[in-house]
Amino acid sequence: MSLEKAQRLVRAVGRAFYTDDYVVVLDTLCRRPYLMDNQTTNSSKSDIGKMFNLPVRQVRKILGELYAQGLVQQELLPVYIMHEDGKKKIPVRRVFWYINYRHFVYLIRLRIWMMKVESGKAEAAMDPFICDFCSHTYSDIDAQRNLDLETSKFLCENCQKYGLRNFLVEHEVAAAQNGDKRDERTRNTLEEQLTQSRELGREGIDDLLTALKVLRVPDNKPDQYLKGKN
């Protein structure tokens, strides 16, 4: 159950943050415990070349980038092949690409938390006042310098330069009244990426992470599958 949910998380992350080529590779790694690659082979005869409708070098590039981001792991392990004389097996080393699901879940949980923190910092850092006419923003101190004594409201200094008399409003109020998308764009995009999308065939990342909190997720290392094959 935990493995199946972790695999669903991998697919959801792929569809939320990556292009189709990366999604294909991640989906394949979910269907197979590992991908074995003879990195001395650059032709289409490579095992990983047969699994994708992509050039071998492109598949390796995608795997390399996912590895650099910590989403995919690799190990150099021995496999035994028949010697040319046909009498004995000899060990050769191959690169095994795989997803360590326990590490993947931890990493995504950490990165989502960091993204939410950064999104909150950006929102908290924005100036609290904005001119509803020219969209110029002001800090508390700057706004108070242009207090209109008759109305007890803050005037827009930028508009005054052009002989206009417009008042400032609180940034959150302006966003609610005018549908200002600039300050909410990052937050909304993040929410869209983390929630379920039936149109895109994607489950909610937040929901899957919550479900996985109480489950023991396997690491899925390739050597456990090779013990009986060599």
Side-chain angles (χ1 to χ4, degrees):
M1 182 178 179
S2 61
L3 175 60
E4 183 261 343
K5 271 194 169 56
Q7 290 171 336
R8 284 159 56 186
L9 176 66
V10 173
R11 294 186 178 100
V13 168
R15 284 157 176 76
F17 297 102
Y18 291 90
T19 59
D20 291 344
D21 290 351
Y22 288 79
V23 171
V24 170
V25 172
L26 288 170
D27 282 359
T28 301
L29 282 168
C30 286
R31 292 194 300 269
R32 304 170 63 97
Y34 57 80
L35 296 178
M36 185 176 69
D37 182 20
N38 176 5
Q39 290 201 329
T40 62
T41 304
N42 285 317
S43 70
S44 59
K45 295 180 181 180
S46 170
D47 290 337
I48 62 169
K50 298 175 183 178
M51 300 175 193
F52 307 96
N53 292 321
L54 296 170
V56 175
R57 288 184 179 179
Q58 186 174 350
V59 176
R60 288 173 177 157
K61 179 176 180 291
I62 291 171
L63 287 167
E65 290 179 0
L66 292 172
Y67 174 74
Q69 295 169 22
L71 301 182
V72 165
Q73 308 299 315
Q74 67 167 210
E75 287 190 24
L76 190 63
L77 298 171
V79 296
Y80 289 82
I81 63 173
M82 188 61 68
H83 192 267
E84 293 177 355
D85 60 17
K87 296 180 180 180
K88 61 181 178 180
K89 288 185 175 181
I90 59 172
V92 294
R93 289 189 175 274
R94 295 287 185 264
V95 174
F96 288 80
W97 299 96
Y98 68 100
I99 296 174
N100 183 325
Y101 291 103
R102 189 180 305 164
H103 175 76
F104 187 97
V105 171
Y106 170 80
L107 184 64
I108 294 303
R109 181 174 285 121
L110 175 63
R111 288 187 177 176
I112 295 302
W113 176 80
M114 292 175 65
M115 290 169 68
K116 289 180 177 179
V117 168
E118 289 302 316
S119 178
K121 285 182 179 179
E123 186 176 355
M126 67 183 183
D127 290 327
F129 292 97
I130 185 172
C131 174
D132 210 14
F133 181 79
C134 70
S135 297
H136 200 85
T137 60
Y138 297 86
S139 65
D140 283 315
I141 295 176
D142 291 336
Q144 291 174 21
R145 290 172 180 166
N146 285 294
L147 176 64
D148 181 63
L149 298 178
E150 293 182 6
T151 62
S152 296
K153 294 181 179 181
F154 300 126
L155 287 164
C156 175
E157 184 179 2
N158 187 59
C159 287
Q160 284 182 306
K161 296 176 183 178
Y162 303 97
L164 301 175
R165 182 179 171 84
N166 293 305
F167 296 105
L168 306 182
V169 296
E170 292 184 17
H171 216 147
E172 292 181 359
V173 174
Q177 291 178 342
N178 301 329
D180 186 1
K181 299 296 189 299
R182 293 174 305 161
D183 301 315
E184 297 186 353
R185 188 174 299 148
T186 301
R187 184 174 68 250
N188 289 344
T189 300
L190 179 59
E191 289 176 357
E192 289 172 4
Q193 289 173 314
L194 299 183
T195 54
Q196 182 181 20
S197 173
R198 293 183 179 179
E199 181 182 350
L200 299 176
R202 185 184 72 230
E203 293 188 84
I205 294 174
D206 272 340
D207 293 337
L208 288 168
L209 285 173
T210 299
L212 285 162
K213 275 185 178 180
V214 297
L215 299 175
R216 181 173 177 80
V217 181
D219 51 23
N220 187 52
K221 293 188 176 181
D223 56 356
Q224 67 193 46
Y225 300 99
L226 298 174
K227 288 178 181 178
K229 292 186 177 183
N230 290 331

